[in-house]
């Protein structure tokens, strides 16, 4: 957020909520499960019969998760996208979300842009905003999203087994590279687009139910998030094949080989799915096999030269 409100009489909290956050869902059926949305002490929701609810929450802070000079519409889109990516990783269909917004001031241009970007993705994904909270302070966006899966079919981090293939739902490295370019003053191009507007892989996640043995979305980098799967699956290990790592050469063309590898494996901000598949499962279209699960703990890389090197599961860490 870069500019202050020019209004002499800023909107009060309730008018602001009515103006920017009472949104009529565009999607057929979106909102049908909402008995009471924003406006009462809490939302009243109708869980889909026979389904389990899946809940997640991620907070995005200015300067930590998105740059202070990012357009408000992109901030709105991105903050919802990172939460939808967690629903995708569980194989869930999005239903409802709560928005907790901390604003330094009432800037109506910013709010109009933010809500526009957020609802653009909400409508595309079929998720309804059902409530939230607004307070004053340094800009922070916290979203709690709920989805549903048929009972017993949610994807977990914990089901990987030795011998299974490790797959990626898309290329990695573009997100953090986009941030680096942003920090160098660039404002357009495919890597920047990837960083500004990550595309949660909801359809892929849903298609992996009853097929993938484990799944996670990559927010902290391939190695760090693969390591969560290995830990959750009982302390297994993995071997990755350097030659098989998907690389969008156009996106990472301005990086040397070592930087490309670092971004691909440790970048973060990717929001593609990483999942494990038994050897008889077909590989979904657009996905890449990057290695396999092994009994021996730790992550190893088979290099282009055929050497096996140990890798540390380093990735993004807040502390
Ligand atoms: N403050 C918290 N209280 C309880 N559980 C938490 C808290 N923060 C994170 N978790 C849980 O820890 C797990 C890992 O969180 P996180 O690393 O944020 O995952 P993700 O990358 O999927 O967002 C999740 O199951 C999340 O719900
Ligand atoms: C301004 C800015 N600096 C740095 C980053 C890089 N970054 C910040 S948090 C993060 C990891 C993901 O965020 P986190 O809060 O750990 O989300 P979660 O893993 O819980 O989904 C990355 C790669 C960024 N996105 N924006
Ligand atoms: Mg999280």
């Amino acid at each position: 957020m870069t500019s202050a409100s020019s209004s002499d009489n800023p909107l009060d909290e309730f008018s602001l909520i009515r103006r920017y956050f009472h949104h009529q869902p565009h999607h057929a059926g979106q909102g049908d499960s909402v008995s009471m949305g924003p406006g009462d002490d809490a939302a009243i929701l109708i869980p889909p019969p026979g389904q389990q609810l899946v809940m997640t929450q991620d907070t995005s802070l200015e300067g930590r998760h998105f740059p202070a000079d990012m357009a408000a519409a992109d901030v709105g889109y991105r903050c919802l996208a990172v939460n939808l990516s967690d629903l995708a990783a569980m194989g869930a269909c999005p239903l409802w979300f709560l928005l907790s917004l901390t604003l330094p001031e009432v800037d109506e241009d910013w709010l109009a842009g933010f809500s526009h970007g957020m609802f653009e993705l909400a409508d595309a994904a079929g998720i309804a905003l059902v409530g939230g909270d607004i307070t004053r302070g340094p800009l922070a966006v916290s979203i709690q999203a709920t989805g549903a899966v048929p009972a017993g079919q949610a994807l977990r981090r914990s089901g990987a087994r030795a011998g299974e293939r490790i797959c990626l739902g898309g290329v990695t490295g573009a997100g953090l590279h986009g941030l680096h370019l942003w920090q160098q003053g660039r404002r357009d191009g495919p890597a920047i687009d990837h960083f500004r507007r990550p595309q949660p892989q909801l359809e892929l996640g849903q298609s992996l139910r009853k097929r993938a043995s484990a799944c996670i979305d990559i927010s902290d980098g391939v190695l760090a998030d693969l390591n969560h799967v290995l830990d959750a699956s009982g302390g297994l290990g993995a071997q990755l094949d350097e030659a098989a790592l998907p690389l969008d050469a156009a996106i990472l063309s301005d990086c040397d080989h070592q930087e490309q590898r670092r971004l691909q494996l440790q970048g973060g901000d990717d929001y593609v799915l990483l999942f494990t598949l038994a050897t008889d499962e077909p590989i979904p279209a657009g996905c890449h096999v990057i290695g396999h699960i092994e009994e021996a703990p730790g992550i190893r890389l088979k290099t282009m030269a055929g050497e096996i090197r140990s890798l540390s599961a380093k990735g993004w860490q807040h502390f």
Side-chain angles (χ1 to χ4, degrees):
M1 186 176 264
T2 48
S3 66
S5 169
S6 56
S7 166
D8 291 335
N9 291 308
L11 280 181
D12 68 61
E13 189 182 327
F14 306 106
S15 314
L16 181 160
I17 294 167
R18 266 196 304 278
R19 184 167 300 174
Y20 296 106
F21 299 112
H22 280 202
H23 174 76
Q24 282 311 313
H26 291 181
H27 203 267
Q30 184 188 359
D32 283 0
S33 60
V34 182
S35 178
M36 178 77 210
D40 211 304
D41 291 308
I44 308 174
L45 306 166
I46 307 159
Q51 307 240 333
Q52 289 176 323
L53 298 180
V54 174
M55 300 178 79
T56 183
Q57 173 159 32
D58 269 322
T59 298
S60 298
L61 300 178
E62 181 180 71
R64 174 151 296 273
H65 295 88
F66 57 88
D69 57 346
M70 182 178 266
D74 292 333
V75 175
Y77 193 102
R78 187 176 204 287
C79 294
L80 180 58
V82 301
N83 279 275
L84 293 182
S85 182
D86 280 320
L87 292 185
M90 302 298 292
C93 288
L95 285 173
W96 318 300
F97 71 106
L98 297 168
L99 168 68
S100 170
L101 201 51
T102 307
L103 299 171
E105 74 248 321
V106 174
D107 177 339
E108 288 208 55
D109 289 344
W110 191 89
L111 279 161
F114 174 84
S115 58
H116 188 270
M118 183 182 75
F119 286 123
E120 184 183 331
L121 177 59
D123 289 337
I127 192 166
L129 176 63
V130 296
D133 184 41
I134 299 197
T135 53
R136 186 169 189 160
L139 181 61
V141 183
S142 191
I143 288 180
Q144 183 274 316
T146 301
V149 285
Q153 291 185 24
L155 302 170
R156 298 168 187 231
R157 297 177 175 185
S158 56
R161 287 171 295 249
E164 291 182 338
R165 291 156 308 163
I166 303 167
C167 305
L168 280 182
V171 293
T172 57
L176 201 67
H177 186 50
L179 172 66
H180 292 159
L181 294 178
W182 187 285
Q183 288 164 339
Q184 291 160 24
R186 289 266 295 277
R187 291 295 176 268
D188 51 30
I192 300 253
D193 288 346
H194 197 96
F195 176 70
R196 280 201 295 218
R197 294 195 170 215
Q199 300 297 309
Q201 298 194 294
L202 286 159
E203 283 174 19
L204 175 62
Q206 289 159 31
S207 77
L208 292 174
R209 291 179 198 151
K210 301 202 277 185
R211 295 178 59 194
S213 50
C215 187
I216 190 167
D217 70 313
I218 299 178
S219 54
D220 296 336
V222 167
L223 297 181
D225 287 317
L226 170 59
N227 200 44
H228 291 314
V229 169
L230 299 174
D231 278 350
S233 300
L236 295 172
Q239 180 175 304
L240 301 181
D241 182 357
E242 185 177 23
L245 295 175
L247 172 74
D248 189 326
I251 292 186
L252 298 186
S253 59
D254 39 359
C255 305
D256 64 24
H257 175 83
Q258 206 182 343
E259 177 65 358
Q260 285 182 348
R261 238 16 117 245
R262 204 181 64 77
L263 287 166
Q264 284 174 295
L265 291 172
Q266 295 170 26
D269 278 332
D270 295 303
Y271 300 103
V272 299
L273 299 184
L274 180 148
F275 53 96
T276 49
L277 281 184
T279 43
D280 54 352
E281 281 290 344
I283 309 300
C287 296
H288 311 268
V289 177
I290 60 163
H292 62 271
I293 302 287
E294 295 184 331
E295 287 290 354
I299 305 179
R300 292 158 288 278
L301 183 72
K302 184 174 161 213
T303 66
M304 301 280 195
E307 295 159 359
I308 307 291
R309 271 181 35 207
S310 273
L311 298 177
S312 78
K314 265 197 310 201
W316 180 267
Q317 289 205 341
H318 287 294
F319 302 102

